[in-house]
Amino acid sequence: MSWQAYVDDHLLCEIDGNRLSAAAIIGQDGSVWAQSENFPQFKPEEIAAINKDFEEPGTLAPTGLFLGGTKYMVIQGEPGAVIRGKKGSGGVTIKKTNQALIIGIYEEPMAPGQCNMIVERLGDYLVEQGL
């Protein structure tokens, strides 16, 4: 299966009539493996800061998480595995696998828990596959 199919079929799937507004699978080096059409154009330093927070949990909390120039307030996640951010009625979930970052961005009416479930389920599957 292509990486684009993982984004299209697994990250942009519908849950209770809702879906992520944008999603991507990005290598830990910042290379784009696949992304939705409307995924924000991010900067390499934003991915570097996310990777640093996975290595040293808590580094993003004081400054916020930036993705495509949008600032998210960092909320409870799983140190070293999941980073969650909130902005207004939407937010972002980032799951780290062995080689990649699975990123889902959502807006209301999708609930944060639905975004977490979609992103983390795919991330857990890829970790099981050694990716």
Side-chain angles (χ1 to χ4, degrees), residues 4 9-10 41-42 55 76 81 87 92-93 95 115 119:
Q4 192 61 49
D9 301 342
H10 297 281
Q41 181 62 49
F42 58 85
E55 292 164 20
Q76 154 273 336
K87 177 180 175 25
V92 63
T93 302
K95 167 78 177 176
C115 176
V119 171

Side-chain angles (χ1 to χ4, degrees), residues 71-128:
K71 181 179 180 179
Y72 296 89
M73 178 177 67
V74 177
I75 55 176
Q76 154 273 336
E78 295 170 31
V82 178
I83 299 171
R84 298 185 182 108
K86 187 95 175 107
K87 177 180 175 25
S89 60
V92 63
T93 302
I94 305 170
K95 167 78 177 176
K96 180 181 183 213
T97 71
N98 299 330
Q99 301 174 20
L101 303 173
I102 314 300
I103 304 174
I105 299 172
Y106 68 94
E107 299 293 337
E108 272 191 334
M110 178 172 261
Q114 292 172 316
C115 176
N116 297 343
M117 187 170 65
I118 290 168
V119 171
E120 293 173 38
R121 187 185 293 155
L122 178 58
D124 290 343
Y125 170 76
L126 293 176
V127 167
E128 287 170 15

Side-chain angles (χ1 to χ4, degrees), residues 35 38-43 46 67-69:
Q35 64 184 13
N38 56 346
F39 193 79
Q41 181 62 49
F42 58 85
K43 299 181 180 90
E46 293 172 335
L67 191 63

